[in-house]
Amino acid sequence: MHSRQIKLCLLSGPAVAIFLFLALGPLAHFLPPPSPTHGAEWYFQFYMNNLLGVRLAGIALMISACMVGIFSGALVSLARAMEGPGGPWTNVLLLMSAMVSTTFFMSGVFFCLAAFRPDRTAEEVYLLSDLAWIGLVIPGVPATIQTIALAFATLSDKRARPILPRWSAYMNIWFGIIFLPGCFVAMFQTGPFAWNGILAFWLPAIFFGLWFLVLLWLIWTRLTDELLSSPQG
């Protein structure tokens, strides 16, 4: 098996966080996120005052989304090794990872579009901004299913020394529960479930970063070619 290549893909995890921070922080000045209750004119002026920063932020978000795809490729390879040929959770993990990465990528596209033509009307920019913010935060359900699929693949590993410890499966389920509130951002403009709220944005964002770091540490310290190729009990 290819433990070295898997570890190389895992290094994209920190890159996800770096490009995401650059996009929302110093480039677009989106930290803390602006309120969904602001009107069209407020958002129009916000974007027009920082056209270059928002455009670069959109590009950084797209790069971050691609890094998510690379990281997920390593997880899919591990799930296949843990679950064995024909295991359904590996396919679920692959599909949900693709959905998260694609939605994340399109958020960057919409930020670029919002700042692409300064002659757009405020209402047009407003719509593109809503698409960008909702696309950034809303993929809570696929992210939750992604972590649950990895958890079940981990629990299916019957090796004497499993690739990932069983406790990490339960950790993944808890992370998935924390990611879930993001799916409600289309229903709320204020409160904890809004796109700038504690449950929809801040907790998922913090724990999304922790999820990357914990998995990177676990896999990096445990994974070897011998472990990948060892038969299940």
Side-chain angles (χ1 to χ4, degrees), residues 30-174:
F30 282 150
L31 290 178
S35 172
T37 61
H38 291 323
E41 189 61 35
W42 187 95
Y43 273 96
F44 180 79
Q45 292 300 326
F46 187 92
Y47 287 114
M48 294 307 108
N49 290 336
N50 188 23
L51 285 173
L52 178 60
V54 174
R55 291 166 181 168
L56 291 174
I59 294 171
L61 283 174
M62 289 186 280
I63 295 173
S64 185
C66 292
M67 297 297 104
V68 171
I70 296 173
F71 189 89
S72 299
L75 297 185
V76 169
S77 294
L78 288 176
R80 185 177 295 112
M82 293 187 294
E83 195 176 18
W89 292 110
T90 301
N91 295 327
V92 173
L93 177 61
L94 174 62
L95 292 171
M96 293 301 104
S97 299
M99 190 177 297
V100 170
S101 182
T102 300
T103 309
F104 195 14
F105 186 92
M106 291 307 301
S107 172
V109 172
F110 288 127
F111 277 123
C112 286
L113 288 173
F116 183 63
R117 296 186 189 276
D119 57 344
R120 291 191 197 275
T121 66
E123 292 297 330
E124 290 172 333
V125 172
Y126 201 30
L127 174 60
L128 292 168
S129 178
D130 281 352
L131 286 168
W133 275 106
I134 289 177
L136 178 65
V137 182
I138 206 169
V141 172
T144 297
I145 299 175
Q146 180 186 33
T147 58
I148 291 174
L150 181 60
F152 279 112
T154 301
L155 293 174
S156 69
D157 191 349
K158 304 303 181 184
R159 291 172 177 80
R161 183 175 185 269
I163 294 175
L164 292 177
R166 292 180 66 86
W167 63 261
S168 70
Y170 304 109
M171 176 201 70
N172 273 306
I173 293 172
W174 279 110

